[in-house]
Amino acid sequence: MPELPEVETIRRDLEHLRGRTITRVCIASNADRIIRGVSPDAFARRISRRRIDDIARRGKYLLFHLSNRDGDPSVYLAVHLRMTGSLTHCRPDGDCGPYTRAVLSLDDGTELRYSDLRKLGQLWVVDRPEDAVGALGPEPLSDDFTADRLHESLMKRRAPVKAVLLDQRVIAGIGNIYADEALFAARLHPQRQASTLSADEARRLHRAIRRVLRDAIGNRGSSFRDYVDGAGREGSHQLKVKVFRRTGKECYVCGAEIARIKVGGRSTHFCPHCQPVEDR
Ligand SMILES: [Zn+2]
């Protein structure tokens, strides 16, 4: 599932579409449930003939700010890729893969295509970004996200630290891959009760989260299954992960076997030696 580094990679890939105008919108007839809140026809009407003024990201959401039109105020096209969604910029004759659910034709003749094997992704047209994204925690790579703020959030929670990292209201954009990787980098056991982390451990985790996310963006995201970037190419961070889906393999740091457990119903990968249960 695409997380912050994957969505940010797509955002950067699509940034050059700023200034383009959406001329036509086609929604596949079997994909109407990906359009949220309005009918596919109303959705197409509301975003057509608007210029893309900006492409931003909040957590795992992409936000296209679309210009005002004929006296109507500007709107936002919000996209959440969920499990198998992808958003690629193609020439009209280009092959962007099967499962295309929505095609946005642009004024230079190219197309922005939304594809989704499982059709679990979501597209909204809203007046304000908050109407689509809801209440999200701080962006982990912004200045708002400090070690103190993270420690404060953790202190209020009795859940395992891994489960708290996945809570989008605490930090926006982290999913299963980068939660496991950040906890390994911080040498913290995923089942540690969040409220028991010391200020020092929270600082370690804060630093680890930022480093892991930045490294993954540098490698253009992780393609374990379906993820592709804004041009349809795979990322390479899946080759660099230290614990995620490395069950039974040797830890790169200590040589112990990477273990897999369930935390809050999610598969969780960690090194039992580098991430001991007890505090150190
Ligand atoms: Zn280890």
Side-chain angles (χ1 to χ4, degrees):
M1 185 193 289
E3 303 178 24
L4 186 154
E6 289 75 34
V7 180
E8 178 61 19
T9 301
I10 295 171
R11 189 196 70 77
R12 293 179 185 186
D13 285 351
L14 299 181
E15 239 182 344
H16 69 280
L17 298 181
R18 223 185 262 153
R20 293 264 72 90
T21 294
I22 299 168
T23 53
R24 205 161 58 97
V25 178
C26 266
I27 312 289
S29 55
N30 63 356
D32 48 348
R33 72 176 181 197
I34 64 168
I35 308 295
R36 314 303 293 190
V38 292
S39 70
D41 281 349
F43 174 85
R45 268 198 310 275
R46 273 199 88 190
I47 67 170
S48 294
R49 296 187 299 109
R50 292 185 189 264
R51 190 182 60 238
I52 299 171
D53 280 346
D54 192 28
I55 306 172
R57 180 192 54 74
R58 185 78 175 91
K60 303 177 196 170
Y61 294 82
L62 277 168
L63 296 165
F64 292 78
H65 191 193
L66 305 180
S67 67
N68 54 10
R69 177 192 67 188
D70 314 331
D72 278 350
S74 66
V75 294
Y76 289 85
L77 164 63
V79 181
H80 197 300
L81 304 168
R82 300 285 168 200
M83 297 291 286
T84 57
S86 67
L87 201 57
T88 47
H89 181 226
C90 318
R91 300 160 54 86
D93 53 353
D95 179 15
C96 284
Y99 315 117
T100 299
R101 311 299 183 188
V103 177
L104 278 58
S105 302
L106 305 176
D107 59 344
D108 63 350
T110 62
E111 293 175 352
L112 186 59
R113 296 190 197 173
Y114 178 77
S115 304
D116 195 340
L117 167 65
R118 293 179 59 184
K119 295 187 281 190
L120 297 171
Q122 295 168 307
L123 274 62
W124 297 258
V125 53
V126 287
D127 297 329
R128 304 169 310 152
E130 308 83 82
D131 298 337
V133 308
L136 287 181
E139 281 296 318
L141 297 178
S142 76
D143 294 341
D144 294 344
F145 180 63
T146 61
D148 285 346
R149 186 165 176 183
L150 175 63
H151 191 213
E152 264 171 46
S153 308
L154 294 170
M155 281 193 298
K156 290 182 209 145
R157 301 287 297 266
R158 296 174 63 182
V161 60
K162 158 88 184 254
V164 177
L165 290 185
L166 295 179
D167 184 342
Q168 302 299 299
R169 294 165 301 178
V170 175
I171 312 168
I174 297 179
N176 217 27
I177 304 173
Y178 301 107
D180 284 2
E181 292 298 306
L183 288 167
F184 175 79
R187 306 189 309 280
L188 292 168
H189 194 287
Q191 279 175 319
R192 270 285 294 282
Q193 191 179 312
S195 59
T196 68
L197 263 66
S198 67
D200 200 48
E201 288 172 320
R203 213 166 9 249
R204 232 158 63 200
L205 182 56
H206 175 262
R207 204 179 310 126
I209 289 168
R210 287 161 76 107
R211 193 172 67 230
V212 160
L213 294 175
R214 284 207 181 97
D215 284 354
I217 293 171
N219 292 321
R220 306 187 53 76
S222 301
S223 294
F224 283 98
R225 277 183 47 191
D226 306 277
Y227 163 72
V228 290
D229 66 19
R233 301 163 300 202
E234 292 193 342
S236 65
H237 195 72
Q238 71 278 9
L239 306 171
K240 310 282 183 183
V241 291
K242 307 287 199 294
V243 289
F244 187 75
R245 298 221 178 136
R246 294 195 66 246
T247 314
K249 298 203 171 118
E250 278 182 18
C251 171
Y252 294 127
V253 173
C254 73
E257 261 189 27
I258 301 300
R260 189 174 77 139
I261 53 172
K262 289 262 183 189
V263 179
R266 305 293 300 275
S267 260
T268 296
H269 313 77
F270 73 109
C271 172
H273 180 256
C274 295
Q275 298 165 265
V277 188
E278 325 78 57
D279 315 4
R280 302 200 271 214

Short mmCIF file of all heavy atoms in Angstrom, two decimals, residues 156-196:
data_model
loop_
_atom_site.label_atom_id
_atom_site.label_comp_id
_atom_site.label_asym_id
_atom_site.label_seq_id
_atom_site.Cartn_x
_atom_site.Cartn_y
_atom_site.Cartn_z
N LYS A 156 0.19 9.53 25.99
CA LYS A 156 -1.26 9.42 26.21
C LYS A 156 -1.81 8.06 25.81
O LYS A 156 -3.01 7.82 25.94
CB LYS A 156 -1.99 10.48 25.37
CG LYS A 156 -1.77 11.89 25.84
CD LYS A 156 -2.58 12.84 24.95
CE LYS A 156 -1.91 14.19 24.86
NZ LYS A 156 -2.06 14.83 23.56
N ARG A 157 -0.96 7.21 25.23
CA ARG A 157 -1.50 5.99 24.62
C ARG A 157 -0.96 4.73 25.28
O ARG A 157 0.25 4.59 25.46
CB ARG A 157 -1.16 5.99 23.11
CG ARG A 157 -1.71 7.20 22.36
CD ARG A 157 -3.21 7.09 22.19
NE ARG A 157 -3.54 5.94 21.40
CZ ARG A 157 -3.73 5.99 20.08
NH1 ARG A 157 -3.64 7.12 19.42
NH2 ARG A 157 -4.02 4.88 19.43
N ARG A 158 -1.88 3.79 25.57
CA ARG A 158 -1.46 2.53 26.17
C ARG A 158 -1.30 1.44 25.12
O ARG A 158 -0.88 0.33 25.42
CB ARG A 158 -2.46 2.10 27.23
CG ARG A 158 -2.51 3.11 28.38
CD ARG A 158 -3.60 2.78 29.37
NE ARG A 158 -3.35 1.48 30.01
CZ ARG A 158 -4.17 0.93 30.89
NH1 ARG A 158 -5.28 1.54 31.23
NH2 ARG A 158 -3.88 -0.25 31.43
N ALA A 159 -1.63 1.75 23.87
CA ALA A 159 -1.51 0.77 22.78
C ALA A 159 -0.02 0.50 22.49
O ALA A 159 0.84 1.28 22.88
CB ALA A 159 -2.20 1.32 21.54
N PRO A 160 0.27 -0.59 21.78
CA PRO A 160 1.65 -0.84 21.35
C PRO A 160 2.15 0.32 20.47
O PRO A 160 1.37 0.86 19.68
CB PRO A 160 1.57 -2.13 20.54
CG PRO A 160 0.28 -2.76 20.90
CD PRO A 160 -0.63 -1.65 21.31
N VAL A 161 3.42 0.65 20.60
CA VAL A 161 3.97 1.79 19.85
C VAL A 161 3.76 1.63 18.34
O VAL A 161 3.47 2.59 17.63
CB VAL A 161 5.45 2.04 20.23
CG1 VAL A 161 6.31 0.82 19.92
CG2 VAL A 161 5.99 3.28 19.54
N LYS A 162 3.84 0.39 17.85
CA LYS A 162 3.61 0.16 16.41
C LYS A 162 2.21 0.62 16.00
O LYS A 162 2.03 1.30 14.97
CB LYS A 162 3.79 -1.33 16.09
CG LYS A 162 3.12 -1.82 14.82
CD LYS A 162 3.96 -1.69 13.58
CE LYS A 162 3.23 -2.09 12.32
NZ LYS A 162 3.61 -3.35 11.74
N ALA A 163 1.19 0.27 16.81
CA ALA A 163 -0.19 0.65 16.49
C ALA A 163 -0.35 2.16 16.51
O ALA A 163 -1.08 2.73 15.68
CB ALA A 163 -1.15 -0.02 17.47
N VAL A 164 0.35 2.83 17.41
CA VAL A 164 0.23 4.29 17.50
C VAL A 164 0.87 4.96 16.27
O VAL A 164 0.35 5.93 15.73
CB VAL A 164 0.86 4.82 18.82
CG1 VAL A 164 0.81 6.33 18.87
CG2 VAL A 164 0.13 4.22 20.02
N LEU A 165 1.97 4.38 15.78
CA LEU A 165 2.61 4.94 14.57
C LEU A 165 1.69 4.84 13.36
O LEU A 165 1.78 5.65 12.43
CB LEU A 165 3.92 4.20 14.25
CG LEU A 165 5.09 4.42 15.20
CD1 LEU A 165 6.33 3.71 14.66
CD2 LEU A 165 5.38 5.90 15.40
N LEU A 166 0.81 3.84 13.35
CA LEU A 166 -0.10 3.67 12.20
C LEU A 166 -1.33 4.57 12.30
O LEU A 166 -2.09 4.69 11.34
CB LEU A 166 -0.57 2.21 12.11
CG LEU A 166 0.50 1.16 11.81
CD1 LEU A 166 -0.11 -0.23 11.77
CD2 LEU A 166 1.20 1.47 10.49
N ASP A 167 -1.53 5.20 13.46
CA ASP A 167 -2.71 6.06 13.67
C ASP A 167 -2.47 7.40 12.96
O ASP A 167 -1.63 8.20 13.39
CB ASP A 167 -2.92 6.25 15.17
CG ASP A 167 -4.18 7.04 15.48
OD1 ASP A 167 -4.71 7.73 14.57
OD2 ASP A 167 -4.64 6.97 16.63
N GLN A 168 -3.23 7.65 11.89
CA GLN A 168 -3.01 8.85 11.07
C GLN A 168 -3.29 10.14 11.83
O GLN A 168 -2.86 11.22 11.43
CB GLN A 168 -3.86 8.79 9.79
CG GLN A 168 -3.57 7.56 8.94
CD GLN A 168 -2.12 7.51 8.47
OE1 GLN A 168 -1.66 8.39 7.76
NE2 GLN A 168 -1.38 6.48 8.89
N ARG A 169 -4.02 10.04 12.95
CA ARG A 169 -4.29 11.25 13.75
C ARG A 169 -3.09 11.63 14.61
O ARG A 169 -2.99 12.74 15.11
CB ARG A 169 -5.50 11.02 14.67
CG ARG A 169 -6.80 10.85 13.89
CD ARG A 169 -7.88 10.27 14.77
NE ARG A 169 -7.45 8.96 15.32
CZ ARG A 169 -8.16 8.22 16.16
NH1 ARG A 169 -9.32 8.64 16.59
NH2 ARG A 169 -7.71 7.06 16.59
N VAL A 170 -2.16 10.68 14.79
CA VAL A 170 -0.95 10.96 15.59
C VAL A 170 0.16 11.47 14.68
O VAL A 170 0.81 12.48 14.97
CB VAL A 170 -0.50 9.69 16.35
CG1 VAL A 170 0.81 9.95 17.08
CG2 VAL A 170 -1.59 9.26 17.33
N ILE A 171 0.40 10.76 13.57
CA ILE A 171 1.38 11.17 12.55
C ILE A 171 0.73 10.83 11.21
O ILE A 171 0.19 9.74 11.05
CB ILE A 171 2.70 10.38 12.63
CG1 ILE A 171 3.22 10.31 14.05
CG2 ILE A 171 3.75 10.98 11.70
CD1 ILE A 171 4.36 9.32 14.21
N ALA A 172 0.83 11.71 10.24
CA ALA A 172 0.20 11.47 8.94
C ALA A 172 1.18 10.76 8.00
O ALA A 172 2.33 11.16 7.89
CB ALA A 172 -0.24 12.78 8.32
N GLY A 173 0.73 9.69 7.37
CA GLY A 173 1.48 9.15 6.23
C GLY A 173 2.24 7.85 6.45
O GLY A 173 2.76 7.27 5.50
N ILE A 174 2.33 7.39 7.73
CA ILE A 174 3.09 6.16 7.99
C ILE A 174 2.16 4.96 7.91
O ILE A 174 1.07 4.98 8.45
CB ILE A 174 3.76 6.21 9.38
CG1 ILE A 174 4.78 7.36 9.41
CG2 ILE A 174 4.43 4.87 9.71
CD1 ILE A 174 5.48 7.49 10.74
N GLY A 175 2.59 3.91 7.21
CA GLY A 175 1.85 2.64 7.13
C GLY A 175 2.75 1.52 7.62
O GLY A 175 3.77 1.74 8.29
N ASN A 176 2.39 0.30 7.24
CA ASN A 176 3.05 -0.88 7.80
C ASN A 176 4.54 -0.97 7.49
O ASN A 176 5.33 -1.35 8.34
CB ASN A 176 2.32 -2.13 7.28
CG ASN A 176 2.25 -3.21 8.35
OD1 ASN A 176 2.25 -2.91 9.54
ND2 ASN A 176 2.22 -4.45 7.92
N ILE A 177 4.93 -0.61 6.28
CA ILE A 177 6.35 -0.73 5.90
C ILE A 177 7.21 0.17 6.78
O ILE A 177 8.16 -0.27 7.44
CB ILE A 177 6.59 -0.31 4.42
CG1 ILE A 177 5.72 -1.11 3.46
CG2 ILE A 177 8.07 -0.42 4.06
CD1 ILE A 177 5.80 -0.60 2.00
N TYR A 178 6.86 1.47 6.80
CA TYR A 178 7.76 2.43 7.44
C TYR A 178 7.62 2.45 8.96
O TYR A 178 8.55 2.86 9.65
CB TYR A 178 7.60 3.81 6.79
CG TYR A 178 7.91 3.69 5.31
CD1 TYR A 178 6.91 3.74 4.35
CD2 TYR A 178 9.22 3.42 4.91
CE1 TYR A 178 7.20 3.55 3.01
CE2 TYR A 178 9.52 3.22 3.56
CZ TYR A 178 8.50 3.29 2.62
OH TYR A 178 8.79 3.08 1.29
N ALA A 179 6.50 1.93 9.50
CA ALA A 179 6.41 1.76 10.95
C ALA A 179 7.43 0.71 11.39
O ALA A 179 8.20 0.92 12.34
CB ALA A 179 4.99 1.35 11.36
N ASP A 180 7.46 -0.43 10.69
CA ASP A 180 8.42 -1.49 11.04
C ASP A 180 9.85 -1.01 10.87
O ASP A 180 10.71 -1.26 11.72
CB ASP A 180 8.20 -2.73 10.15
CG ASP A 180 6.98 -3.55 10.57
OD1 ASP A 180 6.28 -3.12 11.51
OD2 ASP A 180 6.73 -4.60 9.94
N GLU A 181 10.13 -0.31 9.79
CA GLU A 181 11.49 0.15 9.52
C GLU A 181 11.94 1.20 10.55
O GLU A 181 13.09 1.18 11.00
CB GLU A 181 11.56 0.73 8.10
CG GLU A 181 11.40 -0.32 7.00
CD GLU A 181 12.52 -1.37 7.04
OE1 GLU A 181 13.70 -0.99 7.01
OE2 GLU A 181 12.18 -2.58 7.09
N ALA A 182 11.03 2.09 10.93
CA ALA A 182 11.38 3.14 11.90
C ALA A 182 11.65 2.53 13.28
O ALA A 182 12.59 2.93 13.97
CB ALA A 182 10.28 4.19 11.97
N LEU A 183 10.83 1.55 13.67
CA LEU A 183 11.04 0.93 14.99
C LEU A 183 12.35 0.16 15.03
O LEU A 183 13.06 0.17 16.04
CB LEU A 183 9.85 0.02 15.34
CG LEU A 183 8.58 0.79 15.69
CD1 LEU A 183 7.37 -0.13 15.71
CD2 LEU A 183 8.72 1.50 17.04
N PHE A 184 12.71 -0.47 13.92
CA PHE A 184 14.02 -1.15 13.87
C PHE A 184 15.14 -0.12 13.99
O PHE A 184 16.08 -0.29 14.78
CB PHE A 184 14.16 -1.94 12.56
CG PHE A 184 15.53 -2.56 12.41
CD1 PHE A 184 15.88 -3.72 13.09
CD2 PHE A 184 16.49 -1.95 11.60
CE1 PHE A 184 17.16 -4.27 12.97
CE2 PHE A 184 17.77 -2.50 11.47
CZ PHE A 184 18.10 -3.67 12.16
N ALA A 185 15.04 0.96 13.22
CA ALA A 185 16.09 1.99 13.25
C ALA A 185 16.21 2.61 14.65
O ALA A 185 17.30 3.01 15.06
CB ALA A 185 15.81 3.07 12.21
N ALA A 186 15.09 2.66 15.38
CA ALA A 186 15.11 3.24 16.72
C ALA A 186 15.41 2.19 17.80
O ALA A 186 15.46 2.51 18.98
CB ALA A 186 13.77 3.92 17.02
N ARG A 187 15.58 0.92 17.40
CA ARG A 187 15.84 -0.21 18.31
C ARG A 187 14.75 -0.35 19.37
O ARG A 187 15.01 -0.56 20.55
CB ARG A 187 17.22 -0.06 18.97
CG ARG A 187 18.36 0.10 17.96
CD ARG A 187 19.73 0.03 18.59
NE ARG A 187 19.91 0.90 19.74
CZ ARG A 187 20.16 2.21 19.68
NH1 ARG A 187 20.28 2.80 18.49
NH2 ARG A 187 20.33 2.91 20.78
N LEU A 188 13.49 -0.22 18.95
CA LEU A 188 12.36 -0.34 19.87
C LEU A 188 11.49 -1.53 19.49
O LEU A 188 11.17 -1.71 18.30
CB LEU A 188 11.50 0.94 19.83
CG LEU A 188 12.17 2.19 20.39
CD1 LEU A 188 11.35 3.43 20.02
CD2 LEU A 188 12.32 2.09 21.91
N HIS A 189 11.08 -2.31 20.47
CA HIS A 189 10.20 -3.45 20.22
C HIS A 189 8.81 -2.92 19.83
O HIS A 189 8.27 -2.05 20.50
CB HIS A 189 10.10 -4.32 21.48
CG HIS A 189 9.48 -5.66 21.21
ND1 HIS A 189 8.13 -5.82 20.97
CD2 HIS A 189 10.03 -6.90 21.13
CE1 HIS A 189 7.88 -7.10 20.76
NE2 HIS A 189 9.01 -7.78 20.86
N PRO A 190 8.24 -3.47 18.74
CA PRO A 190 6.95 -2.94 18.25
C PRO A 190 5.81 -3.06 19.26
O PRO A 190 4.84 -2.32 19.18
CB PRO A 190 6.65 -3.79 17.01
CG PRO A 190 7.73 -4.80 16.89
CD PRO A 190 8.80 -4.50 17.85
N GLN A 191 5.92 -4.01 20.22
CA GLN A 191 4.83 -4.19 21.19
C GLN A 191 5.01 -3.35 22.46
O GLN A 191 4.17 -3.42 23.35
CB GLN A 191 4.70 -5.65 21.57
CG GLN A 191 3.92 -6.44 20.53
CD GLN A 191 3.87 -7.92 20.81
OE1 GLN A 191 4.88 -8.50 21.22
NE2 GLN A 191 2.74 -8.54 20.60
N ARG A 192 6.09 -2.57 22.54
CA ARG A 192 6.25 -1.70 23.72
C ARG A 192 5.03 -0.81 23.87
O ARG A 192 4.58 -0.18 22.90
CB ARG A 192 7.49 -0.81 23.54
CG ARG A 192 8.78 -1.38 24.07
CD ARG A 192 8.90 -1.35 25.57
NE ARG A 192 8.96 0.02 26.09
CZ ARG A 192 10.05 0.79 26.07
NH1 ARG A 192 11.17 0.36 25.54
NH2 ARG A 192 10.00 2.01 26.59
N GLN A 193 4.51 -0.75 25.08
CA GLN A 193 3.37 0.15 25.33
C GLN A 193 3.85 1.58 25.10
O GLN A 193 4.86 2.00 25.67
CB GLN A 193 2.90 -0.06 26.77
CG GLN A 193 1.59 0.60 27.05
CD GLN A 193 1.15 0.34 28.49
OE1 GLN A 193 1.18 -0.80 28.97
NE2 GLN A 193 0.74 1.38 29.17
N ALA A 194 3.13 2.33 24.26
CA ALA A 194 3.61 3.65 23.83
C ALA A 194 3.93 4.56 25.01
O ALA A 194 4.93 5.27 25.01
CB ALA A 194 2.58 4.30 22.92
N SER A 195 3.07 4.52 26.04
CA SER A 195 3.23 5.46 27.17
C SER A 195 4.48 5.18 27.99
O SER A 195 4.86 6.02 28.81
CB SER A 195 2.00 5.41 28.06
OG SER A 195 1.83 4.09 28.55
N THR A 196 5.13 4.02 27.79
CA THR A 196 6.32 3.71 28.59
C THR A 196 7.61 4.22 27.95
O THR A 196 8.68 4.08 28.53
CB THR A 196 6.47 2.18 28.84
OG1 THR A 196 6.77 1.55 27.57
CG2 THR A 196 5.20 1.59 29.43
#
